[in-house]
Amino acid sequence: MGQVRVFDHPLIQHKLTILRDRRTGHKEFRELVEELAMLMAFEATSGLPVRSIDVATPLATAKGATIAGQEIAVVPILRAGLAMETGILRLMPTARVGHVGIYRDPSTLEPHTYYCKLPPDIGERQVLVVDPMLATGGSAVESVDLLKERGARTIRLMVLIAAPEGIRRLHAEHPDVDIYTAAVDERLDDHGYILPGLGDAGDRLYGTR
Ligand code: PRP
Ligand code: URA
């Protein structure tokens, strides 16, 4: 069964609290999502394998380390995942990026895919799918379905807030996918929004409501 890792670093929890606040405007909201994604990616990559190498300093040779093993592909779910992509690329500027466009129908809550463009070697990479919200889990399941159809084999999901309903659904359909999150909230409301959550992530990021 897939794991759920909750990142409880004080900086992550501090920034998440400001993000949730209804008074936080879209400029600060976007900056916080970027910062949170960067901090969470730092935590998520703490177990990456490294290989020892020598490096010539101006004075002598030092023992160093370089990242080894599978390379990473970051896959934001449009549109709210885009702000997370920006933060992660500050930490890993050479990571390849794929994009999956999915929106949730507001009445049925069913996911609808409208775009998918992935690096051609996606099957050889560790894939990190990013989206601020895991609510019903429909969008996450749809994106993992798409990624697997196109050959991805090692997939993780990183979200800022997860609902128990979404965790259960993703792990029921894709038990091999670990979830990284900054919080597991209480439940969904009647419209599929996470409680207490932070509202509509896309609208708060881009000021569209
Ligand atoms: C939001 C969010 C997730 C999805 C989560 O996107 O960014 O992708 O809802 O809900 P689910 O787990 O129930 O599928 P939305 O569909 O609002 O699209 P947007 O990013 O274009 O605003
Ligand atoms: N999508 C959001 O943006 N927020 C929620 O609470 C649920 C889905």
Side-chain angles (χ1 to χ4, degrees), residues 9 30 42 48 50 54-55 66 91 96 119 131 151 169 177:
H9 190 289
R30 199 157 51 225
F42 185 74
L48 279 182
V50 292
D54 288 341
V55 60
T66 188
L91 197 67
R96 295 294 170 95
D131 190 326
R169 180 159 168 194
V177 175

Side-chain angles (χ1 to χ4, degrees), residues 77-80 102-104 131-139 200 202:
I77 302 179
L78 308 181
R79 73 192 150 141
I102 297 176
Y103 74 92
R104 191 173 80 146
D131 190 326
M133 311 303 276
L134 175 65
T136 65
S139 305
D200 189 297

